[in-house]
Amino acid sequence: MTNEGYSEGRPLDHLNHGNISEQQFLETYNAGDYERPSVTVDMLVFTIRSEAQSNYRKLAEPALQLLMIRRGGHPYMGKWALPGGFVSMQESLEDAARRELVTETGLDDIYLEQLYTWGDVQRDPRTRVISCSYMALVDSSELELEAGDDASDADWFRVEQRLLEEKRHIHERGRTTERRVQLTLSNGTEELSAVIEVKEAVEGSVRSSSMNILEVEGIAFDHAKIMVYALERLRSKVEYTDIAFNLMPETFTLTALQKVYEIISGKKLLAAAFRRKIADWVIETEEFTGNAGHRPSRLYRLNPERMTT
Amino acid sequence: MTNEGYSEGRPLDHLNHGNISEQQFLETYNAGDYERPSVTVDMLVFTIRSEAQSNYRKLAEPALQLLMIRRGGHPYMGKWALPGGFVSMQESLEDAARRELVTETGLDDIYLEQLYTWGDVQRDPRTRVISCSYMALVDSSELELEAGDDASDADWFRVEQRLLEEKRHIHERGRTTERRVQLTLSNGTEELSAVIEVKEAVEGSVRSSSMNILEVEGIAFDHAKIMVYALERLRSKVEYTDIAFNLMPETFTLTALQKVYEIISGKKLLAAAFRRKIADWVIETEEFTGNAGHRPSRLYRLNPERMTT
DNA sequence: TTAATAGTGTCTATGAGACATTATTCT
DNA sequence: AGAATAATGTCTCATAGACACTATTAA
């Protein structure tokens, strides 16, 4: 094992010998003109919104929605992409993410989580771009979309995922799993879609996983892959954290909360068990819903003492 | 909401108007000479190794160990840092991580997981450096450390974490949690340490968390913070995935596996419950340990059909 | 009255924690 | 024999799923 890495023969270390003081070193240090990748942030802004009611008595069917931007220039002109932008030298990654969020949604102070950093060499046809993706969850009640802004190129897309095929192969020292997942996005006018292949392999204790875009319709860059990754993360986190509360308004009914869990996890839940499970995470208020052709529903709010994530 | 982001007034888009074809655009595209951050990967290579036996009958006490490199140049000369290095233009982030891993440990084909990307503006005193951290888990039986390489500057450090203080404050619309965590690393000769402050705040559904280095002894850059983050991730993943198996050799005793769980989670487990829990993840072999002054222990191997991560 | 949702009670199966008990080895 | 670890049996308690049942509203 040798002392490689930061300390030998690397771009930043051309002045990095030991016979000057650290202060001298930093004063004379010059970042040099080595080629560097560009760094961007990509935002996955999710919300849960209700679509039209079919019947005065029936509840509106909420759905998971994702914010996307139509590209006005090359490459992928006219396709839809995740909101995002370049990270400047004066801001941290999270600052850049929050800046994008404010720009696109006008919202500050919302749930933001770093997801994954995408670093494939050819992921952007222009030049080498490394993208750090962030997931933001917003409460739909706060959203003011396209207020007056005519023909804006930002829109919410209803997100759906479907498992097309799963192949599982178990051999002596491991297994491989191969899934094809179909992603569908629609905003009422346009329908975007992609088929992503997710491969996982375990060989002894060696594990690898990879994602590939097999087909894509209307979605720019590798963003369809990023979406599938984000949906997977969201689905897994909803099981063992209280992340879903970030999609709820100040007060909400337990049925609405349950719907959010069901939409994200893709599973139907039983009301009794669900209520028991989240009982300690909420506090009841004295308010109720009404005017709905059926029994009113009590409104709850978050319990600040709730489970730590 | 406006069409910001990738498509307007950003470095890569100075030629990005719509009146040429995408092919023309890409042919004339020039990445330009905008200032860009440097991008590195930092590796957290963990293993579990046994230290000396105190008694011929007692089992050796295994401990969690982390690979570190002593810096030979400025800045932080003489301090210990995570192995890592710059990402070149021709390799993906994961390729860079695997390359570092091979360089430092000689190991290929081991568990590797992207952890988090650190992008604070001032995290490196030389210039803006964004670092993507990866966690690698290796089975100690495979390790050949410093084979013949005299006075190498790479070494394994035993890692320990201690909670110094926890303050919890609950107010009407949220709560804050503030913890001070002490990190201690020792390789037998040197002892490194740091005190990290971890703050979490929830206000309504708005959540933020931050980590700060309060004290640091012998650890370069913000690497103490990265370690605390990695330990937290490891601890949480050991609870709900089979990640711990990546630290085990081909065959192992259930007691050894349990020890790994205990070391990472920081909790004592009861053998009966532990064995029930992992029963389906392992397959028994016909081999046993021996020569140990007590009942031999059956060796197990991974069940390739085990739980999906 | 009826359609629809809101909300509760309770049975059962499952799994985890606690702890006692038996098994086996080498010195 | 004795010290040490290996391995299992079983009691209890907490929790999740299933499902039946009651409650309440507006048209």
Side-chain angles (χ1 to χ4, degrees), chain A residues 3-68:
Chain A
N3 178 17
E4 283 257 334
Y6 285 119
S7 34
E8 275 180 33
R10 294 305 164 73
L12 296 189
D13 292 295
H14 57 299
L15 280 171
N16 199 5
H17 31 60
N19 52 5
I20 56 171
S21 76
E22 176 154 348
Q23 198 183 349
Q24 281 177 312
F25 165 78
L26 290 172
E27 278 164 2
T28 56
Y29 180 78
N30 172 351
D33 48 7
Y34 296 88
E35 235 187 328
R36 292 181 182 74
S38 297
V39 179
T40 64
V41 288
D42 280 319
M43 306 299 303
L44 292 113
V45 187
F46 288 105
T47 195
I48 299 251
R49 292 202 306 169
S50 294
E51 309 200 326
Q53 270 170 284
S54 57
N55 171 319
Y56 82 95
R57 274 180 163 162
K58 285 206 169 165
L59 285 179
E61 256 325 308
L64 184 64
Q65 311 227 344
L66 177 65
L67 183 65
M68 298 194 75

Side-chain angles (χ1 to χ4, degrees), chain B residues 72-83:
Chain B
H74 290 306
Y76 296 105
M77 188 162 55
K79 309 289 185 192
W80 293 84
L82 295 171

Side-chain angles (χ1 to χ4, degrees), chain A residues 168 175 177 200 207, chain B residues 240-242 305-309:
Chain A
R168 225 151 192 277
R175 64 178 155 78
T177 311
E200 279 165 21
R207 216 176 273 253
Chain B
Y240 68 95
T241 74
D242 57 359
E305 302 182 48
R306 77 187 179 286
M307 187 190 169
T308 315
T309 308

Side-chain angles (χ1 to χ4, degrees), chain A residues 32-285:
Chain A
D33 48 7
Y34 296 88
E35 235 187 328
R36 292 181 182 74
S38 297
V39 179
T40 64
V41 288
D42 280 319
M43 306 299 303
L44 292 113
V45 187
F46 288 105
T47 195
I48 299 251
R49 292 202 306 169
S50 294
E51 309 200 326
Q53 270 170 284
S54 57
N55 171 319
Y56 82 95
R57 274 180 163 162
K58 285 206 169 165
L59 285 179
E61 256 325 308
L64 184 64
Q65 311 227 344
L66 177 65
L67 183 65
M68 298 194 75
I69 308 274
R70 190 205 295 274
R71 288 188 54 75
H74 290 305
Y76 297 105
M77 189 162 56
K79 309 288 186 194
W80 293 84
L82 295 171
F86 291 87
V87 177
S88 85
M89 293 296 274
Q90 296 79 32
E91 63 186 354
S92 71
L93 285 172
E94 185 164 328
D95 287 348
R98 292 212 180 268
R99 176 176 53 72
E100 287 299 329
L101 211 48
V102 172
T103 308
E104 303 301 346
T105 65
L107 293 174
D108 205 348
D109 273 353
I110 62 176
Y111 179 81
L112 188 62
E113 170 187 339
Q114 193 189 99
L115 266 186
Y116 192 79
T117 301
W118 304 84
D120 277 2
V121 176
Q122 294 295 345
R123 52 179 299 282
D124 190 306
R126 292 167 292 187
T127 183
R128 178 75 191 276
V129 177
I130 290 173
S131 167
C132 185
S133 53
Y134 279 82
M135 177 165 72
L137 302 183
V138 307
D139 148 23
S140 62
S141 74
E142 294 191 60
L143 285 176
E144 238 182 71
L145 236 188
E146 298 162 86
D149 191 342
D150 59 328
S152 161
D153 280 330
D155 204 0
W156 292 97
F157 281 75
R158 183 191 174 114
V159 182
E160 256 151 6
Q161 225 189 5
R162 202 159 62 89
L163 183 63
L164 295 180
E165 188 187 22
E166 179 161 40
K167 279 189 241 167
R168 225 151 192 277
H169 179 230
I170 295 169
H171 50 280
E172 206 186 338
R173 296 191 58 260
R175 64 178 155 78
T176 58
T177 311
E178 215 177 301
R179 280 175 297 151
R180 283 192 307 124
V181 175
Q182 176 156 56
L183 181 71
T184 313
L185 303 176
S186 66
N187 68 346
T189 315
E190 282 185 80
E191 181 155 307
L192 318 178
S193 69
V195 178
I196 309 289
E197 174 191 60
V198 183
K199 284 187 191 171
E200 279 165 21
V202 181
E203 178 83 27
S205 64
V206 184
R207 216 176 273 253
S208 60
S209 80
S210 65
M211 285 171 64
N212 282 303
I213 299 179
L214 299 183
E215 295 169 31
V216 64
E217 196 81 36
I219 303 172
F221 302 103
D222 56 356
H223 290 183
K225 208 158 90 172
I226 301 180
M227 289 173 211
V228 170
Y229 183 89
L231 290 170
E232 175 60 37
R233 173 87 136 247
L234 191 54
R235 197 176 313 120
S236 103
K237 277 199 118 166
V238 85
E239 308 279 353
Y240 67 95
T241 72
D242 57 359
I243 194 173
F245 284 83
N246 296 293
L247 291 160
M248 307 307 294
E250 190 76 11
T251 62
F252 47 83
T253 68
L254 295 188
T255 303
L257 183 61
Q258 182 178 338
K259 278 264 160 58
V260 170
Y261 272 82
E262 290 177 340
I263 289 165
I264 295 174
S265 70
K267 285 182 251 172
K268 276 280 163 205
L269 302 174
L270 290 165
F274 179 75
R275 279 155 192 260
R276 271 195 310 252
K277 185 177 122 106
I278 54 100
D280 290 341
W281 300 2
V282 295
I283 297 175
E284 57 177 42
T285 70

Side-chain angles (χ1 to χ4, degrees), chain B residues 57 59 255 272 275-276 293-298:
Chain B
R57 273 181 163 160
L59 286 178
T255 304
R275 278 154 194 261
R276 271 195 309 251
H294 55 74
R295 176 172 171 180
S297 183
R298 186 186 286 273

